[in-house]
């Protein structure tokens, strides 16, 4: 089954009891048992819910994994993965990591003595140099947020195997439609499903896909114990979003390429970060491991003042956190999604006050270009 067909027919897609073509929303907390300890696969919805289970089978199929898991947010999914490790363990992480992940590692999990080192994972030698005796995992984003750096997943898998490490890949920007990290050697793939998978700015969720029975057993234990599960209504919304993910990603990428062409010609834009550009440092790697370049663009207009002017003038770009929706969104990472990262660290990474991030939607691209042109004028 090809990827686009999987999004319609993958996993559990209907209800055998009634013939409904959409999985019902099982708004239920507990389940009648036939006798003590003898139930029909469900006993309590924190442990397992039919609607959530249907979603989990779909994400496992889309990522070519053995098991899937759904959480109340992307951060809940990341936190649950980090609970696989013990106090004193160490994780090597992509340096240009999402601000929420940075905050989790530096301000929450550090209290439990989970150590970490940030490295430029687009350079394998820097990853190797960051590995310690107590390192247990490599955690990468590719493409990254917001600079869209590309990490070679195959090379990271080789390093992980060499050092007996777990390879964890945040696949939020690429989506399962463009990239399948498990096929490239990853052990765990995670998504902020709030973004492209949901796609309509109406749900907050996180998803995991795993290719190991042992890891699946461990993650399920953590999911059930910590309890950060996704509710049935939101699970249903995600399944609905997945059915249109392929056509949305194709439409978004078409718009994105035309917007990049426009930005390349504009005198006020000093830098453009988009892996579809041949000048992008990760372009060749992205071509090898993905089937599309996605819908995210970051570009620099020189100062925070200029960035603020643009954000105040646009009409069809919604000034908002998040990304991956049918409507185009615009933000300044330094003041919004990455504000939790200290200023000196942002400067070191290249997240300037003049960096503007676009999440391109499915509007008419001519309207999007004209709107951006008048805002930049």
């Amino acid at each position: 089954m090809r990827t686009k067909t999987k999004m319609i027919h993958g996993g559990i897609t209907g209800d055998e009891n009634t013939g409904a073509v959409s999985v019902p929303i099982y708004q239920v907390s507990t389940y009648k048992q036939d006798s003590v300890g003898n139930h029909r696969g469900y006993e309590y919805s924190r442990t397992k819910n039919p609607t959530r289970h249907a979603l989990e089978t779909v994400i496992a199929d889309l990522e070519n994994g053995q098991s899937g898991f759904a959480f109340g947010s992307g951060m809940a999914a990341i936190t649950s993965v980090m609970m696989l490790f013990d106090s004193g363990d160490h994780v090597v992480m992509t340096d240009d990591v999402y601000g929420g992940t940075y905050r989790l590692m530096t301000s929450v999990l550090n209290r439990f003595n989970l150590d970490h080192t940030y490295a430029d994972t687009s350079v394998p030698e820097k990853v190797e140099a960051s590995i310690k005796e107590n390192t247990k995992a490599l955690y990468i984003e590719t493409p990254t947020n917001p600079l869209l750096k590309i990490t070679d997943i195959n090379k990271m898998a080789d390093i992980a195997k060499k050092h007996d490490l777990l390879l964890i890949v945040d696949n939020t920007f690429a989506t399962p439609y463009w990239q399948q990290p498990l096929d490239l050697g990853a052990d765990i793939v995670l998504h902020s499903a709030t973004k492209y998978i949901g796609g309509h700015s109406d749900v907050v969720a996180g998803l995991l896909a795993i290719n190991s029975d042992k890891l699946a057993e461990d993650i399920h234990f953590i999911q059930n114990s910590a309890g950060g599960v996704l509710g049935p209504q939101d699970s249903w919304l995600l399944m609905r979003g997945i059915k249109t993910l392929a056509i949305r990603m194709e439409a978004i990428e078409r718009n994105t390429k035309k917007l990049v062409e426009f930005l390349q010609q504009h005198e006020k834009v000093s830098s453009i970060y988009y892996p579809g550009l041949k000048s992008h440092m990760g372009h060749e790697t992205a071509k090898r491991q993905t089937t599309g370049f996605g819908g995210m663009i970051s570009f620099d207009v020189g100062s925070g003042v200029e960035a603020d002017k643009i954000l105040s003038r646009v009409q069809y770009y919604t000034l908002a956190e998040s990304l991956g929706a049918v409507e185009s969104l615009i933000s300044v990472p330094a003041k919004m999604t990455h504000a939790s990262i200290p200023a000196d660290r942002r400067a070191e990474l290249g997240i300037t006050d003049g960096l503007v991030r676009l999440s391109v939607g499915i509007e008419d691209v001519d309207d999007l270009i004209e709107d951006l042109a008048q805002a930049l004028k």
Side-chain angles (χ1 to χ4, degrees), residues 20-189:
V21 296
S22 176
V23 174
I25 299 172
Y26 285 90
Q27 195 70 51
V28 57
S29 61
T30 192
Y31 306 80
K32 179 181 177 181
Q33 300 189 15
D34 297 323
S35 59
V36 177
N38 181 21
H39 54 78
R40 305 172 197 180
Y42 300 92
E43 53 187 325
Y44 190 64
S45 275
R46 172 167 40 78
T47 305
K48 192 176 181 182
N49 172 278
T51 314
R52 189 176 82 237
H53 176 61
L55 169 64
E56 292 172 336
T57 65
V58 173
I59 191 60
D61 272 2
L62 292 182
E63 288 286 9
N64 298 325
Q66 295 180 21
S67 303
F69 298 89
F71 297 85
S73 69
M75 292 312 305
I78 295 170
T79 301
S80 295
V81 169
M82 291 302 167
M83 287 180 180
L84 290 168
F85 309 115
D86 295 325
S87 177
D89 286 346
H90 174 258
V91 180
V92 178
M93 307 189 74
T94 296
D95 55 357
D96 179 26
V97 76
Y98 168 56
T101 307
Y102 180 92
R103 179 175 57 231
L104 173 71
M105 298 303 295
T106 57
S107 301
V108 180
L109 295 182
N110 62 319
R111 302 175 191 173
F112 302 94
N113 196 29
L114 179 61
D115 193 15
H116 64 280
T117 298
Y118 294 111
D120 184 351
T121 54
S122 65
V123 183
E125 294 78 13
K126 292 186 177 180
V127 175
E128 288 266 17
S130 301
I131 294 172
K132 304 177 180 181
E133 287 186 5
N134 60 332
T135 302
K136 302 297 182 183
L138 304 180
Y139 179 103
I140 66 174
E141 283 183 20
T142 183
T144 62
N145 181 7
L147 297 175
L148 296 148
K149 290 162 67 174
I150 303 296
T151 294
D152 190 317
I153 299 173
N154 274 143
K155 289 183 178 179
M156 293 301 104
D158 289 342
I159 293 172
K161 186 175 181 180
K162 175 182 174 182
H163 295 276
D164 193 25
L165 309 176
L166 285 180
L167 177 57
I168 305 157
V169 180
D170 185 332
N171 200 29
T172 299
F173 272 27
T175 80
Y177 187 58
W178 295 133
Q179 180 171 268
Q180 282 85 39
L182 294 180
D183 291 348
L184 298 171
D187 298 296
I188 299 174
V189 177

Side-chain angles (χ1 to χ4, degrees), residues 253-266 269 272 274 276-277 297 365 369 372:
E253 187 172 76
R254 285 194 298 270
N255 281 356
T256 303
K257 288 178 177 178
K258 291 183 179 180
L259 277 164
V260 168
E261 290 173 3
F262 162 75
L263 290 168
Q264 282 182 292
Q265 300 169 8
H266 204 286
V269 177
I272 303 173
Y274 181 64
L277 288 171
I297 312 168
V365 71
I369 290 172
L372 203 52

Side-chain angles (χ1 to χ4, degrees), residues 339-360:
S340 60
I341 297 177
D344 57 344
R345 176 64 177 162
R346 293 198 303 267
E348 183 182 345
L349 292 171
I351 304 173
T352 66
D353 290 346
L355 187 74
V356 176
R357 192 190 74 179
L358 298 182
S359 170
V360 181

